[in-house]
Amino acid sequence: MKFKFTLVDRETGKEQRTWVLQPPVTVGRGMLTNIHLEDGSISRRHCEFVIGADGELVIRDLGSKNGIFIDGQQVDKASLTSGSEVQIGLAKMRIESAEATETSTAGGSAAAPQNHGDETHAVKIVPFGEDDRYEIG
């Protein structure tokens, strides 16, 4: 099951960025995390989202310096429901079931394009010459 992770502006509540991913999902400043947030309050590997024993989404702190908070309470691990808002360092994130969000927008007007966090690009590698060099184009 995929989930929609939305970075929300703490002051305005406006959505800043969205990822649709299937757990396990790691969040942090490190380049090898699934959700990379360039924020000094966030550790390189700050937290992760996993599927719990009962099928629920679970957030788990990975030993971060500034912790994770749900409803203003710092937690090491917690089960989440669709629509939960968590604070990761100073960043605020809303988590929803991707299936629930797709169903709610399916019958209405066209939804705005979403950024799903996939920043990879197709690259074509072609031979450049006869000396084993290649050009990326």
Side-chain angles (χ1 to χ4, degrees):
M1 171 183 255
K2 290 186 177 183
F3 290 87
K4 178 181 171 185
F5 300 86
T6 304
L7 185 63
V8 178
D9 184 280
R10 289 180 47 182
E11 294 181 18
T12 66
K14 185 176 178 181
E15 294 184 0
Q16 295 181 322
R17 185 154 184 203
T18 299
W19 299 263
V20 176
L21 301 168
Q22 184 169 336
V25 173
T26 56
V27 179
R29 273 186 303 119
M31 295 303 293
L32 298 178
T33 56
N34 302 105
I35 298 177
H36 173 78
L37 299 175
E38 200 57 48
D39 182 319
S41 71
I42 297 174
S43 298
R44 284 182 293 242
R45 286 183 37 88
H46 198 100
C47 64
E48 72 177 341
F49 294 91
V50 296
I51 300 297
D54 295 325
E56 78 282 15
L57 185 66
V58 175
I59 186 172
R60 179 170 52 201
D61 193 312
L62 296 174
S64 66
K65 181 179 178 183
N66 292 318
I68 54 176
F69 295 80
I70 299 175
D71 298 327
Q73 298 293 320
Q74 187 168 4
V75 297
D76 289 325
K77 182 179 179 181
S79 295
L80 303 173
T81 58
S82 188
S84 291
E85 289 192 352
V86 298
Q87 182 177 324
I88 302 168
L90 295 177
K92 185 177 179 182
M93 188 170 282
R94 183 180 319 116
I95 293 85
E96 301 169 278
S97 166
E99 285 79 10
T101 59
E102 287 173 8
T103 302
S104 66
T105 59
S109 61
Q114 300 271 336
N115 178 351
H116 297 294
D118 183 1
E119 297 177 5
T120 58
H121 304 279
V123 175
K124 182 178 179 183
I125 300 176
V126 294
F128 184 69
E130 296 180 20
D131 57 356
D132 292 335
R133 291 188 300 162
Y134 292 88
E135 179 179 286
I136 298 176

